[in-house]
Amino acid sequence: MFSRFRNDEESMMDTGQTLAFLLFAFIAAVTPGPSNTLVLSTGAAVGTLRGIGCPLGASLGMGAMIVLSAFGVGEIVAAAPAIVIAMKLAGSLFLLWLAWKIANAGTVEADGQRRVVGFRQAFLFQWLNPKGWLVALSAGSTFLVSSQHAEARGALWMGALFAAAAFPAGFVWLVLGALVAQFLRTPRSARFFNIAMALALALSVALVWR
């Protein structure tokens, strides 16, 4: 389904390749995972407008990772056991900290002014997420040709395309969280939802160490 860039004078994807990559990026971004759990809980806590920084940070973070991975940074990280372990430790601690923060969030009315996960936190989380690096490595190895000129142009183009596809995918989860919030008007229901999201995030730590 997926093909490499053509090494033509533009060093860009044709229409078919662009659509294939956008589909790849959207599916990778919209499927359930730690990032979307963060976006969902943010939408439930603060709504769509105040929570928009979360999916924006997550999508731009992945786009930047795609660019660096295409230049070999991802392969260097994956080939260095010490770096991988350090990333897993940092990512696990960050996930557990965010899980604790979500578990202690209040109802929309009581906590509506607090941003659970903003742009910077969502952007940073992608860089500590080993699954994010796997997606970035897969994208680079599948869609990028080996010529240096094509890599420079193609890496930037892939990063921009991935961010463009990932943002609406994350926005879907943000809106879903805002809709769920309509049923979280009591402290008991909000507490149940927050704990469920926190547990899902905490359990995802196990996936980091697979």
Side-chain angles (χ1 to χ4, degrees):
M1 176 179 180
F2 301 127
S3 58
R4 293 178 178 271
F5 283 124
R6 292 178 180 175
N7 190 16
D8 56 15
E9 61 184 14
E10 295 295 331
S11 299
M12 289 293 186
M13 294 178 177
D14 60 24
T15 302
Q17 292 168 328
T18 298
L19 292 176
F21 183 74
L22 286 173
L23 178 62
F24 163 81
F26 184 83
I27 292 174
V30 80
T31 50
S35 294
N36 288 328
T37 301
L38 296 180
V39 176
L40 179 68
S41 60
T42 298
V46 299
T48 304
L49 184 59
R50 292 194 183 102
I52 197 69
C54 187
L56 182 60
S59 59
L60 290 180
M62 275 303 303
M65 287 172 61
I66 294 289
V67 173
L68 291 183
S69 292
F71 285 111
V73 175
E75 294 180 3
I76 294 174
V77 171
I83 295 178
V84 173
I85 292 176
M87 284 179 56
K88 288 183 175 182
L89 285 172
S92 297
L93 291 174
F94 192 52
L95 277 172
L96 292 174
W97 175 75
L98 288 174
W100 174 84
K101 192 173 183 180
I102 290 171
N104 289 279
T107 62
V108 175
E109 287 85 353
D111 205 33
Q113 298 300 319
R114 191 171 76 181
R115 186 172 56 187
V116 176
V117 179
F119 176 90
R120 184 172 59 181
Q121 290 171 322
F123 186 93
L124 175 63
F125 170 74
Q126 299 292 24
W127 293 81
L128 297 175
N129 183 8
K131 290 182 65 177
W133 282 109
L134 290 176
V135 171
L137 285 170
S138 176
S141 63
T142 303
F143 289 92
L144 196 65
V145 297
S146 58
S147 78
Q148 185 175 3
H149 177 63
E151 282 186 7
R153 281 173 162 257
L156 293 174
W157 182 237
M158 280 201 311
L161 284 177
F162 197 99
F167 177 73
F171 188 75
V172 169
W173 286 90
L174 186 70
V175 172
L176 180 61
L179 292 175
V180 169
Q182 303 303 315
F183 302 95
L184 305 178
R185 298 301 182 182
T186 67
R188 182 178 181 180
S189 61
R191 183 68 172 170
F192 177 83
F193 176 81
N194 291 338
I195 290 177
M197 292 296 97
L199 285 175
L201 204 56
L203 288 174
S204 67
V205 172
L207 299 177
V208 172
W209 294 94
R210 289 180 58 182

